[in-house]
Amino acid sequence: MPGPDPLDLTGRVAWVTGAARGIGLACVRALALHGARVVGLDLKLSPELLAVAPDSRELNVADPAAVAQVAAALAEAGLAPEILVNNAGITRDGVLWKLSPQEWSSVLDVNLTGAFHLMHEAVPLMRACGRGSVVNITSINGERGKFGQSNYSAAKAGLIGLTKAAAREAGRFGIRVNAVAPGMVETEMAEKLPPEVKQRAVDESVLGRIAQPGDVANCVLFLASSLAAHITGQVIRVDGGQYI
Ligand SMILES: NC(=O)c1ccc[n+]([C@@H]2O[C@H](COP(=O)([O-])OP(=O)(O)OC[C@H]3O[C@@H](n4cnc5c(N)ncnc54)[C@H](O)[C@@H]3O)[C@@H](O)[C@H]2O)c1
């Protein structure tokens, strides 16, 4: 007789940031498909998100007071998370000598400090229930650096450091912390790029295409599930071999 499905997330609550579209929405769909009760958190909610995750809330992850308030309200409503996907992210591209201090700090505030804010609230809630899985969406550009993205690369590299330190701190409470590093993914974020930059990513990929949001969500699902029960502190690339 087959055993229990290791991807079954029935009864688990998952918080996903940046959930209204793109990779975040794909993560919401993948987790919900496997039984999780998903709370999407985004600046602005979308009908697509609310169709799968009606408990979703508006939230700016860069605002620590708002994050604390929403986290407390969700916990009060019985929606403390066992799964947290820190996916919200923005770009403000430009060579570093042309970046304004605001373009620098806004990217750090959302892409790195936003993840810290969510983990600051979620990890104690996970501790209380004795288990948890945090998945941080970084980028291959946090590992290799990218021309015109010093702010973004720094934030994503910082997120890798945060992932590893948090994995060390939270492991003894049964909480795993990992990161997924996509290459280029076909979303609105990538649509903003010039066609030649997108073509370069296709050419770099040994599989000959850029990722779909679902490719990244599948890896997030794996890391959130008990299939990854002994994996923590890791960065898994989902980039079709774009950065080997
Ligand atoms: N698309 C790519 O090529 C690519 C590659 C590597 C990594 N990533 C990362 O994947 C994540 C998702 O990217 P995407 O391509 O789906 O982006 P996207 O721009 O399509 O979606 C990002 C979502 O985050 C939300 N968001 C932005 N700022 C927020 C804030 N302060 N608080 C709450 N929500 C906020 C947006 O409203 C949006 O719904 C990002 O962290 C991004 O850096 C993307």
Side-chain angles (χ1 to χ4, degrees), residues 9 12-15 31 81-86 119 122-123 126 129-136 174-178 219-226 228-229 231-232:
L9 301 175
R12 313 270 179 100
V13 173
W15 295 358
L31 295 167
E82 282 182 50
I83 298 164
L84 167 65
V85 183
N86 279 310
M119 289 164 73
V123 168
M126 290 174 172
C129 84
R131 64 178 180 183
S133 173
V134 179
V135 183
N136 294 322
I175 301 168
R176 299 178 294 104
V177 187
N178 292 288
C219 188
V220 170
L221 171 67
F222 163 71
L223 287 171
S225 78
S226 63
I231 300 176
T232 197

Side-chain angles (χ1 to χ4, degrees), residues 146-147 195-205 242:
K146 187 174 183 193
F147 186 98
E196 60 273 19
V197 175
K198 279 170 79 175
Q199 187 56 46
R200 198 177 314 132
V202 174
D203 295 342
E204 284 172 349
S205 156
Q242 198 184 335

Side-chain angles (χ1 to χ4, degrees), residues 9 16-17 45 50 61 65 68 88 107 116 130 138 168 181 195 221 230:
L9 301 175
V16 178
T17 70
L45 305 181
L50 288 166
V61 299
V107 171
F116 163 73
T138 177
R168 288 185 183 277
L221 171 67
H230 206 49

